[in-house]
Amino acid sequence: MLRYSLLTAGLMLGTSAFAAPAGDLPLMPWPAHVERPAKQGALILSDNLSISISGDDLGDAANRLRQRIALQTGWTLQPQADKPEKPTITMTIAKKVKPQPLPDSDESYKLTVDANGVNITANTRFGALRAMETLLQLIQNGAENTSIPWVSIDDAPRFPWRGLLLDSARHFVPLEDIKRQIDGMAAAKLNVLHWHLTDDQGWRFSSKRYPKLTQLASDGLFYTPEQMREVVRYATARGIRVVPEIDMPGHASAIAVAYPELMSAPGPYKMERHWGVLKPVLDPTKDATYTFADAMVSELAAIFPDPYLHIGGDEVDDTQWKNSVAIQQFMRDNKLADSHALQAYFNRKLETILEKHHRQMVGWDEIYHPDLPKSILIQSWQGQDALGEVAKHGYKGILSTGFYLDQPQSTAYHYRNEIVPQGLNGVDILADNDSAQSWTFTMPRLKGKPVEGSFTLVKSVTGWRGFIDFSGKSRRAVNNIEWRDDNQVTFTVDTWMGETRPVVNVENDKLRGYFLVGNARYPISGARLNDVPKGIQPTVPDADRQANLLGGEAALWAENVVAPVLDIKLWPRAFAVAERLWSAQDVNDVDNMYTRLQAMDSWTTVSVGLQQHSQQQAQFTRLANNADTLPLQILAQAVEPAQYYTRQHLKFQAGNYHQFEPLNRYADALGAESQTVRQMDKWAERLISDAEDSESAEALRHVFTRWQNNTSDALALSESNYQLKAIKPVIQEVDKLASIGLRLTDLVARQGTLDDKEIASIQTELDNAAKIQDEVVIAAVYPLEKLLRATRNQ
C-alpha cells in the first residue's frame, strides 16, 4: 500500500525533473537524473511480457528478471519467443566485456518507460544489471493493474567502490545465507563483497599447503575452494566483485593454534573464544612467515579473480614483538624505530608477494606508511580524519567508520555519513560581538577508556552555534542547540559512536547530565573552562586529492551476529549506505529517505527474498513458544536494542564477551530502530506546534492505547520462556509510559500545563524508563519527553 501511495502521489505532480534531491518514486539508491514527462501515464504489464537483450550475453539474468517479476506480481508468466517481435523490455548493451567486474567497470545506464515499452541502454553488462534493479523497483501493483510509470532515468554511481563486509570468522555464515546477501547487495547496487575469512576465533577456508588451519582452528566450519568459487560465480553474475581478507600480522590467534612456529612467542596456544584485541602476532623476522603468506596469497588468487586482496593489518598488539629479544635485535639491525616501522617492513615484503601474484593490497588504517607504494588502498575504521590524511598524501582510501551495521544505529545516522571530510565553515571563528562558553567533559564507558574533550557554545546576534573537541580527534560543528531553561542545554553531533546528544546542566561552573549515544544514556561530568580551547582542524583534501576517495563499505562484524538474525541486522538499513555511495551528495533529505526505505523493505522481502521479517518472526516464535507473536510485535514498537557498542560492552562487564554467548535475547530479534517511535516523534512535534492537529493527537492516542491493551498478553508470554522473563520489567514500564502518554497528549491538545513538581515527578519516571534493561532501551521515552516539556508553564 505504501509503495502504491508513493507512486500515485508522484503521478499527480505533473511535469517534473529530479537531479537531486530525491523525488517521490520508490527508488533507492536515487538515480543521478530522473525526468517525468508532461503527459503522465503508465505502461500496463501483463503475464505475456517479453524481454530482448542484445550486445552481450547476460547469462541467466533475463530469466532472473522474469522470475522476480513473477514474484512481484504473483503471475505465472507465459513463455516468450526466442526473439520476440515487439518486446515489452528492450535492453541494448553497447560493448561486450568480460563478465568479471573490475574497479573501473562502467555501471552507467539509461532507462526509459513510455507507451512503447521499456528501453534500457548501457555501455556494458554492469550498467544493464543495475538498470534491471531500477526497473524492478518501479513495477507497481496498483488498484486496477500492474504498471510502470512513464519515466526517463539517466544514472551512474558517484563512487566506484561500494562495498559490504561480511564477517564469517567470528560466527560462521552458511553459503546460502551469503548468496542471499549478494542478492540484496545487487538490489542496492552495492558492488564489492568484502569477505572477512580469518580472525582470532576461526580460520574459514581450507588450505592445501597448510591443512591444520581448518583441522585445528575452524571447529569444522569452513569453506572449500569450490564453495568459494561458487560465491565468486554467483556474485559475478550479479556484477559484484569479491575481495577476500586474511588478517595479518595481528588477529592471528587461529594461525597460532595451527602453526605456533610462525608466531612471535612460543605459546602454547589454544582456540580463542573471547572477543577483543589479542596478543598472538606473526613474526616478521622469519622466512617461514613469508612462505606462509605467499602460499595463502597464491591459493586465494587462484580462487578470487579480483585485482585486490585485503590483508587486514589492524589492531596489532605489539607485546610479543617488544618481549622478543630476537625481534628487538632484528629491529636494531634493520634500523626499524618502532613497532609501526616493523609492521611497515612486514607489509613491504607482503606487497612484493601480492605483486608477484598480480594483486594489489587493501588494508585497514594501520598499514598506512610512506614506505608503501601509492597502489595500496586504505580502508578506514578510524574515520574521516584518517581518511583525509590518506587522500592528502596521494593514497587511495575508502570509508567504513559510520557504516558499521553490526552496531544498532538509526538509519539517518548512516545516511548523514559523508565520505569526503567536511570543513567547519568558520563555525569556530569568533567575532568581536560573540560571547562563548566552553566546558570540559568526561564520559566513562562500559568498556575502554573514558571519552574526554570539551565543547564550546557561541552566542551571536543570529543565535547559537557551537563546536565540540573530542581528545585526539578533529573539531566538529554541533547542531540543534536548545536551551531548555537557564541551566540545561542540549545539542546534537554525529560522532564515531553514533548520533550523540548531550543533555547537560551547567551551573556553578560544573557540568553534569548525560550524553545520549544513539539511544543509550552515558552519565558525564565536567567543568567550565576560562578560555576557548584550541582544537584540531579537520583535514579536508583539495578537489584533486578528493578523487583518491573511492567510496566506502558497510561493515557487519559478527561478534553479535549469527546467521539466523543476519538479515535483521543488514536490511533494509544497508540501502541508506548504498545511496550515500551511489547518489549525489545533495540527495540527503532524511524524511524522504525513510519513506523510500519502507518501500525497499517490502520490495526486498517479495522480489529479492531477503528475510528480515521472516527471521524476526522465527525469533519471536521461539521466544513466545507460540506462533501468536503479536504481543511481541506490538512491544517492539516501543523498544530498540541498546545502540552504539552498548550491548557488547554489557556482555564484557558480565563476563560474556565470547563466541558462545547466546544471541537469543529479545534484543537480538529487533531491528536497529523503531519506526513507530520515529513517527511518534513527528506526531508529537506537530501537536506541539499546532494544538488543534487532531490527526496527530489521535495517532498518538491510538498507539498508547494499543500498548496498554497489549500489556496482559505480553506479560503472559514473558512467563512462557525463561529467555523472555528478563523483559517483564520492560513490558510493565511500557504500560506506565502509555498511561503517561495518553495524559500528556490530552494536555498538549488542550494547551494545558503542569506545575514544576509534577513535571519533575513525570521526568523521574521517564528517566527510570530510559535505563537499559536486558540490552534494550524503551525509545518511546523521547517523544514523551517532548510532550512533557510542552506542558511547562512558560
Side-chain angles (χ1 to χ4, degrees), residues 268-290:
Y269 296 98
K270 61 181 180 178
M271 276 297 289
E272 183 56 65
R273 303 303 184 182
H274 288 81
W275 312 128
V277 178
L278 303 161
K279 296 194 184 305
V281 58
L282 288 168
D283 186 340
T285 73
K286 292 179 179 176
D287 291 341
T289 299
Y290 301 102

Side-chain angles (χ1 to χ4, degrees), residues 441-646:
F441 62 81
T442 298
M443 187 192 93
R445 292 185 290 176
L446 302 170
K447 179 179 183 286
K449 296 178 181 178
V451 174
E452 296 180 329
S454 66
F455 64 85
T456 299
L457 304 177
V458 183
K459 188 175 184 180
S460 69
V461 292
T462 58
W464 287 93
R465 70 181 191 275
F467 51 89
I468 193 165
D469 294 291
F470 291 97
S471 295
K473 297 185 181 293
S474 70
R475 179 165 285 176
R476 299 166 185 251
V478 306
N479 302 296
N480 307 314
I481 299 170
E482 177 189 349
W483 287 91
R484 293 178 174 172
D485 56 36
D486 290 341
N487 297 320
Q488 189 181 73
V489 65
T490 181
F491 54 84
T492 61
V493 58
D494 285 338
T495 73
W496 74 97
M497 298 179 289
E499 180 178 325
T500 303
R501 180 158 67 91
V503 180
V504 294
N505 289 292
V506 292
E507 194 170 9
N508 297 326
D509 291 340
K510 298 293 182 185
L511 185 74
R512 60 183 176 83
Y514 61 87
F515 278 18
L516 188 64
V517 181
N519 59 19
R521 295 184 178 188
Y522 284 80
I524 63 102
S525 60
R528 187 154 189 165
L529 289 169
N530 292 327
D531 299 307
V532 175
K534 292 182 179 179
I536 304 170
Q537 293 296 309
T539 300
V540 181
D542 59 33
D544 290 341
R545 295 296 189 181
Q546 286 180 19
N548 289 322
L549 303 178
L550 302 186
E553 287 186 358
L556 193 76
W557 298 107
E559 290 95 336
N560 245 22
V561 179
V562 286
V565 299
L566 182 60
D567 295 41
I568 297 172
K569 307 306 174 187
L570 271 181
W571 307 107
R573 207 163 33 128
F575 270 88
V577 180
E579 181 155 287
R580 184 53 49 239
L581 296 171
W582 178 284
S583 303
Q585 184 174 348
D586 54 359
V587 177
N588 56 16
D589 184 283
V590 168
D591 289 336
N592 179 279
M593 177 274 290
Y594 272 111
T595 301
R596 290 179 293 115
L597 191 72
Q598 280 188 273
M600 294 305 100
D601 193 24
S602 58
W603 174 69
T604 55
T605 301
V606 174
S607 180
V608 187
L610 299 184
Q611 296 181 7
Q612 60 268 31
H613 296 292
S614 59
Q615 286 186 347
Q616 183 177 74
Q617 181 64 20
Q619 297 302 313
F620 282 173
T621 300
R622 177 182 57 77
L623 287 166
N625 282 325
N626 193 318
D628 181 11
T629 62
L630 185 60
L632 296 183
Q633 295 175 45
I634 293 173
L635 180 65
Q637 295 175 349
V639 303
E640 296 172 342
Q643 293 177 348
Y644 172 48
Y645 275 143
T646 305

Side-chain angles (χ1 to χ4, degrees), residues 9 16 49 127 160 162 249 251 348 394 436 442 494 513 520 535 547 605 620 647 689:
S16 53
L49 65 84
R162 307 180 309 282
H251 284 286
R348 285 197 303 275
T442 298
D494 285 338
T605 301
F620 282 173
R647 294 187 63 204
S689 64

Side-chain angles (χ1 to χ4, degrees), residues 309-325:
L309 195 150
H310 205 300
I311 58 95
D314 61 317
E315 297 180 324
V316 174
D317 185 325
D318 63 357
T319 302
Q320 290 187 349
W321 288 350
K322 288 181 175 179
N323 291 342
S324 168
V325 173

